[in-house]
Amino acid sequence: MTSDSSRSAPHPTVKRIPAYLAVLKELEEAGQVTVSTTDVARRLSLNPIQVRKDLALTGIAGRPKIGYVTAELIAGIYDFLGWQNTKDAVLVGAGALGTALLGYKGFSGYGLRITAAFDAGKRLIGKNIHGRVVQPMDELESFIKETNVRIGIITVPPEAAQEVAYQFVRAGIRGIWNFSPEKLAVPDQVVVQNEDLSAGLALLSVKLSEKLGTTPV
Amino acid sequence: MTSDSSRSAPHPTVKRIPAYLAVLKELEEAGQVTVSTTDVARRLSLNPIQVRKDLALTGIAGRPKIGYVTAELIAGIYDFLGWQNTKDAVLVGAGALGTALLGYKGFSGYGLRITAAFDAGKRLIGKNIHGRVVQPMDELESFIKETNVRIGIITVPPEAAQEVAYQFVRAGIRGIWNFSPEKLAVPDQVVVQNEDLSAGLALLSVKLSEKLGTTPV
DNA sequence: TAGATTGTTAATCGATTAACAATC
DNA sequence: TAGATTGTTAATCGATTAACAATC
């Protein structure tokens, strides 16, 4: 055991891991049996030392001069992220964004399967979206309890988000993937991951202004 | 002038700014004429010192004991982000995610207006999505040049993303908002903001494993 | 063997937090 | 006036990068 397992993994590192996974999968498909961090770093415009340190978290060791066994590293990353066992999730809010997520093929590669969709709007209930029939909100809590699902996805308008979060928590959801711009109040034992478009757009705006020389003040 | 305008703004700060904006707008609507960083920080579970330092970037000064004038601070943030003047953008990839973005009402509050949508699929061309008619790819470059739009949004499958980026660059796009998981090669004068679902999901997975006590190794 | 690569320890860098004087 | 709040300077913390020994 190389790393101190009591310290939790640094967030910046965790966020880079999926990019490593994508590159490694590509290289594996191209028949590359071993891979060096120099190579991975170059493909992602990163520092090789950083890549090495990040990948050390998986517990997979490389060999000097040789590098890492591609397949071993891929398996190590799946283990690290817990993506080797597919986890079920429920989605609430079957609007445009919810529909997009329900139709997204890539989640199977990320160990996620959205098993059910719910919505408050009568117009959407009963509609089949990419193989899942939209269910009414008053069935949400019993569904979560019965199927023991632990991940909830929120794609409702901001004013409805907190109420959905309350229902999630009451029913036993432990991880919330929040696509609404609303900050959610949840108890300590529940984790929230916010996907905030406005933060990304703010960064794009500022980087763009800097690049264009139009200091935005 | 308080801050050194030559140093570019720290990314973590820029990403927090929209959250401040949302809180301040809410408070303004509730009739709160002045606001303290203590109050803003509490509502976002942040450190007041950090909020104060972040908001200093806008150049707006507060007054001891009083706080900041809410409206002034809001205006300052709009200025800082360059969101006071709405910027036009083109979107390529009119699938589920593209449709969701085309239908998103919130962008007007972020100074963004998606003026046109393009797609390579004959099935989608001509379709009216939230008021914009999907155009064929061979009209993309001329459209960008004619309308002088500077922001491009990519919501195509990963294998098509780089080619779209090339077309964007040739036509004069300066900022790319990339929703595909593909790393894009672009020249120095073009900025790219990646919205990567897999990074967010990786963080949720790891945080969840830590919380559930199932050390994922 | 020589050179490339790993992996650890140390140094640097940048962001966050603390301390505190100024002030309404 | 006293207390709350700003805003600056200093200290701390954590992540990135550099240096370098080990090794295939």
Side-chain angles (χ1 to χ4, degrees):
Chain A
M1 196 166 294
T2 336
S3 61
D4 175 7
S5 57
S6 67
R7 257 291 281 131
S8 89
H11 287 188
T13 294
V14 174
K15 286 166 85 179
R16 282 189 295 268
I17 299 279
Y20 300 147
L21 181 60
V23 166
L24 292 169
K25 277 177 159 177
E26 217 174 273
L27 292 174
E28 193 190 38
E29 254 172 54
Q32 206 169 313
V33 177
T34 63
V35 63
S36 74
T37 51
T38 326
D39 190 10
V40 172
R42 192 174 34 74
R43 287 167 192 272
L44 294 167
S45 312
L46 295 174
N47 183 326
I49 305 172
Q50 180 170 62
V51 175
R52 213 139 60 225
K53 203 153 212 176
D54 285 350
L55 291 177
L57 276 180
T58 63
I60 303 299
R63 274 180 300 172
K65 170 88 177 165
I66 308 286
Y68 299 77
V69 176
T70 316
E72 210 181 315
L73 206 44
I74 291 172
I77 289 177
Y78 272 110
D79 270 0
F80 173 74
L81 295 174
W83 287 0
Q84 78 284 45
N85 301 314
T86 299
K87 287 187 212 60
D88 289 345
V90 295
L91 179 144
V92 178
L97 181 56
T99 300
L101 294 182
L102 286 166
Y104 185 58
K105 303 283 195 308
F107 286 142
S108 64
Y110 304 155
L112 191 78
R113 176 174 46 209
I114 305 176
T115 56
F118 294 80
D119 201 285
K122 291 195 176 59
R123 207 172 38 77
L124 287 171
I125 292 164
K127 188 181 175 189
N128 186 313
I129 300 180
H130 298 289
R132 276 137 304 187
V133 175
V134 178
Q135 302 176 56
M137 287 305 285
D138 52 18
E139 286 177 20
L140 176 63
E141 292 192 40
S142 58
F143 181 91
I144 293 170
K145 284 176 186 158
E146 278 162 26
T147 59
N148 230 33
V149 59
R150 288 285 166 265
I151 297 175
I153 304 173
I154 297 183
T155 48
V156 300
E159 61 275 13
Q162 181 62 65
E163 179 53 33
V164 173
Y166 286 141
Q167 288 179 262
F168 275 172
V169 170
R170 272 202 302 272
I173 288 289
R174 299 300 299 276
I176 297 177
W177 206 8
N178 177 29
F179 287 82
S180 89
E182 192 69 14
K183 181 182 157 55
L184 303 177
V186 296
D188 273 356
Q189 77 270 17
V190 176
V191 298
V192 177
Q193 171 66 27
N194 295 301
E195 294 300 330
D196 190 354
L197 277 194
S198 65
L201 187 52
L203 206 45
L204 179 65
S205 304
V206 169
K207 287 194 289 190
L208 192 56
S209 309
E210 283 169 359
K211 199 66 95 171
L212 294 176
T214 332
T215 318
V217 166
Chain B
M1 196 166 294
T2 335
S3 62
D4 176 8
S5 58
S6 67
R7 258 290 280 129
S8 89
H11 287 190
T13 294
V14 174
K15 288 165 85 179
R16 282 189 294 267
I17 299 279
Y20 300 147
L21 182 60
V23 166
L24 292 169
K25 278 177 159 178
E26 217 175 273
L27 292 174
E28 193 191 37
E29 253 172 54
Q32 206 168 313
V33 177
T34 63
V35 63
S36 74
T37 51
T38 326
D39 190 10
V40 172
R42 191 175 34 75
R43 287 166 194 271
L44 294 167
S45 311
L46 294 174
N47 183 327
I49 305 172
Q50 180 171 61
V51 175
R52 214 138 59 225
K53 202 153 212 175
D54 286 349
L55 291 177
L57 276 179
T58 64
I60 303 299
R63 273 179 301 170
K65 168 88 176 168
I66 308 287
Y68 299 77
V69 176
T70 316
E72 212 181 315
L73 206 43
I74 291 173
I77 289 179
Y78 272 110
D79 271 2
F80 173 75
L81 294 173
W83 286 0
Q84 78 284 45
N85 301 314
T86 299
K87 288 188 210 62
D88 289 345
V90 295
L91 179 144
V92 178
L97 180 56
T99 300
L101 294 182
L102 286 166
Y104 185 58
K105 303 283 194 310
F107 286 142
S108 64
Y110 305 154
L112 191 78
R113 176 174 44 210
I114 305 176
T115 56
F118 295 81
D119 201 286
K122 291 194 175 61
R123 206 172 39 78
L124 286 171
I125 292 164
K127 188 181 175 190
N128 187 313
I129 301 180
H130 297 289
R132 276 137 303 187
V133 174
V134 178
Q135 302 175 56
M137 287 304 285
D138 53 18
E139 287 178 18
L140 176 63
E141 291 192 41
S142 58
F143 181 91
I144 293 170
K145 284 175 187 158
E146 277 162 27
T147 59
N148 229 34
V149 60
R150 288 285 167 264
I151 297 175
I153 303 173
I154 297 183
T155 47
V156 300
E159 61 275 13
Q162 181 62 63
E163 180 52 33
V164 173
Y166 286 141
Q167 289 179 259
F168 274 172
V169 170
R170 273 201 301 270
I173 288 287
R174 300 301 299 275
I176 298 177
W177 206 8
N178 177 31
F179 286 82
S180 88
E182 192 70 15
K183 182 183 153 54
L184 303 177
V186 296
D188 272 356
Q189 76 271 16
V190 176
V191 298
V192 177
Q193 172 65 28
N194 295 302
E195 295 300 331
D196 191 352
L197 277 195
S198 65
L201 188 51
L203 206 45
L204 178 65
S205 305
V206 168
K207 287 194 290 190
L208 192 55
S209 308
E210 282 169 359
K211 199 66 94 172
L212 293 177
T214 331
T215 319
V217 167

